[in-house]
Amino acid sequence: MNNVSLISAILSVTGAVATAILGGVFEWRRRRSDREQARRDLVSRYRDPLLQSAALLASRLRNAIDFFSGEPVHQAAPGTKRQDEYNRYESLYRLSAYLGWVEILHREAHFLDLGSRSRNRRLMRRLGNVKGAMSGHAEESGADLFLLLGGEQQAIGEMMIDLGSPDRQRCLGYVAFRRKYRDDPEFAEWFSPLLEEIDSLINNPQQAAIRLATVHNALVDLIVFLDPRKVWVLGPHKKFERKTLPESSPEHQAAEVAEVAAKSDD
């Protein structure tokens, strides 16, 4: 074999090796890109509805806190049965829908991958804080109003899942929820503890404002974490502080705890 043939053979082998290596690199990058896109799709599928449900619930709680604090709140038909029924059941739905999306998140996405273990832990911590706020922490705040135990939260979340969805799990819409609540006594029974807690707020406005503020502030932490640039939720992400809540002897002390909780952040 002459030198030209040898050089040609070497170049041919080198080219083949280089092609194989580059092909492997490109395939690895393509697969990594596909995995990243799949992760982003999964995040969008479950994060976005969770974010929207949290924002809708926080908005309703803010209106309720303003109302119980004596602040003016716009209502289309104040003092009517229509308005009272709307306030009662639409509030029930917003809270239940949030719990439904939390349950779907745990079922479908398990621990939603936000791109790093640190962010995953922070998400789980914020979800846990909302759950804890709804559970009451009565021993800390001195309030025994609006308590929804962890098992009750999970049960409501399970009941809110639309089993008839053909492609993926999602929450019941408002119309489907109201229809099922009306027609299915077993379904409605699971919501009785929550509805009783909602009804009890009317008779304890000062304490109600403090308790709801604790839940609201935990939701704000979750909303800010999921949408730090306010791309999807344009409203203000403001917490309630003690000075904005009604003051009375035992409740005033509880508000100090609420203020600490509102300012805490990791």
Side-chain angles (χ1 to χ4, degrees), residues 76 83 121-122 159 198 228 231 239 260:
Q83 184 71 57
R121 286 195 297 268
R122 289 163 62 192
M159 299 304 294
I198 291 175
V231 175
K239 296 181 179 180
V260 173

Side-chain angles (χ1 to χ4, degrees), residues 229-243:
R229 298 182 180 179
K230 299 184 180 180
V231 175
W232 301 107
V233 180
L234 301 180
H237 303 326
K238 293 183 179 180
K239 296 181 179 180
F240 283 94
E241 298 183 2
R242 179 179 56 82
K243 63 183 180 181

